[in-house]
Amino acid sequence: MEYSYFPGCTLHNQSQSFRDSTISTARELKIELEELPDWYCCGAVYPLRSEDIMSLLSSTRNLVGAKKEDKDLVTLCSACYQVLKRTNYLILNDAEKREKLNSFLEEKYDGSTKVLHFLEVIRKDVGWEGLKNKVKTSMTGLRVAPYYGCLLLRPHKELAFDHPENPTIFENFLKSLGCEAVDFPYKTECCGAYLGITEEIVINSAVLKILQGANKRGIDVLITSCPLCLYNLDVGQNELMKSGNLLKPVPILYFTQLLALALGLGVEVCHFEEHLINPLPTLERIR
Amino acid sequence: MEINIEIINFELREAIEERSNQKLINCYQCGKCSAGCPSVHLMDVSPHEIVRMLQLGLIDDVFKVNSPWYCTSCFTCVSRCPRAIDIAKIMEALRYYNLNAAVHLFDPNTLSDEVKDKIPQQALVSLWRKRT
Ligand code: SF4
Ligand code: SF4
């Protein structure tokens, strides 16, 4: 099936690792991703003030764009997913806001575009069994922490992605790749989000808790689908090691990077040079 | 903290309810929101106390605390509240009023080049949206 693909700013401009591993794994899995023409930045955060209609416009236009293409809209970044899906939920369920938003649009939009995360597409079109059959390099023995963070899961009523407290989609994905999905109690904890720029202390305490938790459980690598989670968890690790707060570095990977390696695609599509903690030494052990 | 009829700011309390689209009176102070909040240890007053202060109309006092600036909009409180109160939206409304008073505005010139190069756009756009 063919989908409208929404890369979002971070995949487009910065995170070649997430982008290239996505494009190449989709091709390998025969999931057709056609980039949405003339897409706009989704806004990165869903506006939480009730009167803030303007901030919803860019995400609405993306939804309209996918409707014009007559395709479901697929995204990778957890923040894009959160904003696009919540905007669509609002348009579907709030007649007053729908009307207000429509007054800015060239044509009427009713909320009929379906917003999907790439993981949902894999589950739907390939299936966990199907994925297992496509694995060329089994990841047996690799202990992986599934890390969901916030934006994929909550608020549950609007996103309806998985259980808000005990999600399992990453676990199923990991089992198909042959990895050991470790029971990770911090899998739905917040990494501190964008507050690292202004209130660094928020990030420091959140990240330390998550990484120490990973150390205690003997986790080899941690996977995510959020560029900001990856950045926050990855970038401070040298300091934490130096200060003695963290005993062992924890490589952080996009789930698509692990998928690319399992599907036997070249390591070049993963761009591990973008990471501070290079996952390759750990991954070599099992390859 | 003093409570008397003179310091209750009914008008602003109503405006915050409207901006956040929440009914403050629905909160029965169970504390579940604060129990799961990842930033609670950094906050002057915890999320359920914020709601209580707002219920009592102590708006000036609420404006003085640091709590909204440590809220990461993680929505954990939202998913756990048994009374369907969205504290993330209340925190956003409080941030909004303080931004209007030009407190905690974000100045992009303070960013180092290294951070600008490396940090995901997602973070910069978020900060822009939340703090300008
Ligand atoms: S969880 Fe809900 S009802 Fe309980 S204290 Fe917090 S806001 Fe009030
Ligand atoms: S949304 Fe804010 S107040 Fe609620 S749990 Fe998260 S950080 Fe705490």
Side-chain angles (χ1 to χ4, degrees), chain B residues 62-79:
Chain B
V62 172
F63 279 173
K64 278 184 213 133
V65 301
N66 68 5
S67 312
W69 307 101
Y70 285 127
C71 165
T72 62
S73 305
C74 74
F75 310 113
T76 305
C77 52
V78 183
S79 77

Side-chain angles (χ1 to χ4, degrees), chain B residues 7 13 18 24 32 34 44 52 55 60 65 71 75 80 104 106 130:
Chain B
I7 61 168
R13 182 172 70 185
E18 209 174 293
L24 294 164
K32 266 185 114 172
S34 302
D44 294 335
R52 186 66 182 145
Q55 284 177 339
D60 288 347
V65 301
C71 165
F75 310 113
R80 293 184 187 170
H104 296 284
F106 165 59
K130 296 262 191 191

Side-chain angles (χ1 to χ4, degrees), chain A residues 106-175:
Chain A
E106 293 70 36
E107 54 199 273
K108 288 256 166 288
Y109 178 64
D110 54 359
S112 54
T113 296
K114 216 164 157 198
V115 180
L116 293 170
H117 190 270
F118 190 53
L119 271 172
E120 294 175 298
V121 177
I122 298 177
R123 178 176 59 193
K124 181 165 80 69
D125 290 0
V126 184
W128 303 131
E129 271 308 307
L131 185 59
K132 204 188 263 174
N133 297 333
K134 300 219 168 194
V135 168
K136 297 213 175 80
T137 313
S138 178
M139 299 271 158
T140 315
L142 191 69
R143 287 173 63 79
V144 186
Y147 179 69
Y148 295 83
C150 312
L151 300 175
L152 276 181
L153 301 172
R154 300 183 290 266
H156 169 243
K157 201 172 118 208
E158 291 161 59
L159 296 178
F161 176 77
D162 205 333
H163 192 284
E165 304 281 354
N166 191 21
T168 49
I169 192 166
F170 264 148
E171 277 85 341
N172 292 330
F173 166 80
L174 288 169
K175 278 177 206 152

Side-chain angles (χ1 to χ4, degrees), chain A residues 194-206:
Chain A
Y194 58 92
L195 285 182
I197 304 176
T198 47
E199 272 79 25
E200 214 179 339
I201 188 170
V202 177
I203 303 280
N204 294 346
S205 58

